[in-house]
Amino acid sequence: MKTAIGLVALTAAFSFGAPIPKIQQLPFGEADGKPVSLYLLKNAAGMEVTITNYGGTVTSIKVPDRNKTFGNVVLGFDNVAPYQATTSYFGALIGRYGNRIGKGQFQLDGKVYQIATNENGNTLHGGTTGFNKRIWDAKDVSTPKAPALELHYLSPDGEMGFPGNLDVTVRYTLNAKNGLEIEYNATTDKATVLNLTNHTYFNLAGAGSETVLKQRLTIRADHYTPIDNGLIPTGVVQSVEGTPFDFRRGNVIGSRINEDNDQLKLGKGYDHNFVLNEPGNLKEWAVKVEDPGSGRVLEVYTDQPGVQFYTGNFLDGSAQGVGGAFKYRSAICLETQHYPDSPNHPNFPSVVLRPGETYHSVTIYRFSTEE
Ligand code: BGC
């Protein structure tokens, strides 16, 4: 891994034309007896993103506010140990299956599969040891246009109970428009189910700030998928019209979160999959967050059919990270993905991947400011 980075650095130093941006590689501690690294990506505008190959985790994103003061807007830690200990998936890549699979069971081609369960008899984010706890191979794949880091993980046949050797590559690119692009590719040698995402917690006011409840959210979704008391979708695709789940015209996140609404009670706040109106459209944002205090804006572009909007309802201040304690509802996750528990709902878009096919998906988190 070190050699690959060194080689790229050498190429940059001796290549003619536009210089290839260099990714800095820094030590980040040791996990499973192996050293892990932190990779620093920086663009010409000064935006900085750090990613560790432990869990493919985004540990910080530094972007300017309306006064051009840079600040870190994601919850994270400055070494690997807290990432090994946490069960909150801070910044991590999620696999093989983002969000929940009811009872950890599904049927595929007539066979019943039992996956490792890790939450009240259900499977959350891939089981007891998900992709967030794996060490990924890392390679600097920067181009003259943009710094980029490629991560690779081979998930063996039967890992956590999922069928097929799954070969996964995730590429993080920091583009010139202050967008962090995440591109996922995967292939399998047996039919399997797959739902990859990233679990970054955002607070545009700065990591460690009290709350996200005053920030404004727009989601281009006419429908969402209601949940049962295990936070598993019931299978119903429900209109958001007239409910606290209607974010189509933009709403302050906290304005309805404590309403007397069964779905909000089951989720302990927002913890629901929204059905995006234009899946596959990477030209228009699907979700937008605006922080009136800092003037920072986040737009999310994705080709995925859904986004899990989670208001950090299980954060309790016990995790001390960069910027302070990560308190109740002090950040939001916008996990672009297929719907939770899709393998058990034939009416949801399919998550089946077969040999010979390539899973491909792109999400962009783009930052800007408003006056
Ligand atoms: C889930 C939450 C869960 C969180 C883990 C989200 O994707 O929907 O219910 O607690 O991840 O931190």
Side-chain angles (χ1 to χ4, degrees):
M1 182 188 5
K2 268 197 178 132
T3 330
I5 299 287
L7 257 179
V8 172
L10 211 71
T11 322
F14 289 100
S15 69
F16 299 99
I20 297 178
K22 266 186 279 176
I23 290 182
Q24 249 189 68
Q25 183 181 2
L26 305 155
F28 203 55
E30 217 180 87
D32 310 336
K34 290 183 200 141
V36 291
S37 297
L38 189 71
Y39 299 89
L40 169 64
L41 286 67
K42 190 170 180 175
N43 71 7
M47 175 173 165
E48 288 185 8
V49 177
T50 53
I51 298 162
T52 169
N53 61 324
Y54 183 80
T57 304
V58 175
T59 67
S60 72
I61 297 183
K62 289 188 187 144
V63 288
D65 65 9
R66 66 159 69 82
N67 302 318
K68 305 201 169 21
T69 305
F70 281 75
N72 170 36
V73 294
V74 308
L75 307 195
F77 305 97
D78 61 6
N79 69 91
V80 76
Y83 287 106
Q84 291 178 281
T86 183
T87 52
S88 296
Y89 303 88
F90 292 108
L93 290 180
I94 303 295
R96 291 189 187 190
Y97 199 94
N99 216 276
R100 295 174 175 82
I101 298 181
K103 301 192 176 68
Q105 273 182 18
F106 61 91
Q107 259 197 46
L108 180 58
D109 298 337
K111 197 172 160 194
V112 176
Y113 290 92
Q114 177 66 55
I115 308 304
T117 55
N118 56 340
E119 190 200 58
N120 308 321
N122 301 312
T123 301
L124 174 65
H125 297 326
T128 40
T129 311
F131 288 1
N132 58 303
K133 301 276 186 199
R134 305 288 179 187
I135 299 174
W136 295 61
D137 297 326
K139 193 158 87 177
D140 186 336
V141 291
S142 302
T143 67
K145 275 193 182 158
L149 181 74
E150 192 171 277
L151 299 172
H152 176 254
Y153 177 64
L154 185 69
S155 172
D157 186 14
E159 188 176 68
M160 295 294 114
F162 288 100
N165 288 296
L166 187 80
D167 199 302
V168 191
T169 303
V170 179
R171 184 182 286 221
Y172 285 105
T173 304
L174 176 54
N175 71 28
K177 293 179 179 165
N178 281 2
L180 178 63
E181 302 178 9
I182 314 179
E183 184 188 341
Y184 305 82
N185 279 290
T187 54
T188 182
D189 60 3
K190 280 185 194 162
T192 191
V193 297
L194 185 62
N195 191 25
L196 300 175
T197 189
N198 174 280
H199 206 294
T200 293
Y201 288 76
F202 298 96
N203 187 332
L204 295 179
S209 301
E210 283 295 310
T211 178
V212 279
L213 297 180
K214 294 187 184 119
Q215 297 175 19
R216 190 178 174 82
L217 177 76
T218 312
I219 309 181
R220 290 181 165 152
D222 292 341
H223 297 88
Y224 77 109
T225 51
I227 50 175
D228 66 14
N229 58 9
L231 286 85
I232 313 279
T234 58
V236 173
V237 176
Q238 185 84 46
S239 167
V240 297
E241 183 73 42
T243 76
F245 294 84
D246 190 348
F247 282 95
R248 290 173 296 182
R249 282 165 287 275
N251 269 96
V252 173
I253 293 171
S255 62
R256 299 164 299 175
I257 199 167
N258 294 321
E259 272 185 13
D260 187 13
N261 173 284
D262 284 350
Q263 281 298 314
L264 285 173
K265 282 185 195 153
L266 289 168
K268 302 192 166 42
Y270 294 101
D271 194 350
H272 296 77
N273 167 64
F274 285 70
V275 175
L276 296 173
N277 290 345
E278 287 193 69
N281 182 0
L282 272 168
K283 295 217 163 72
E284 304 280 345
W285 53 263
V287 185
K288 187 178 195 166
V289 192
E290 295 157 286
D291 174 35
S294 65
R296 291 193 183 100
V297 177
L298 165 63
E299 291 165 353
V300 185
Y301 299 75
T302 187
D303 57 9
Q304 290 296 285
V307 63
Q308 183 81 12
F309 169 46
Y310 169 58
T311 38
N313 312 311
F314 295 111
L315 296 178
D316 59 6
S318 57
Q320 283 285 338
V322 177
F326 298 151
K327 295 188 187 145
Y328 181 57
R329 293 182 178 165
S330 68
I332 56 169
C333 297
L334 296 163
E335 302 150 65
T336 54
Q337 58 188 26
H338 274 250
Y339 314 168
D341 202 32
S342 292
N344 293 311
H345 299 284
N347 58 321
F348 289 179
S350 170
V351 288
V352 176
L353 181 72
R354 296 188 181 278
E357 297 174 346
T358 300
Y359 172 99
H360 175 79
S361 136
V362 176
T363 289
I364 304 166
Y365 295 101
R366 178 166 182 245
F367 298 86
S368 58
T369 53
E370 60 194 5
E371 290 316 306

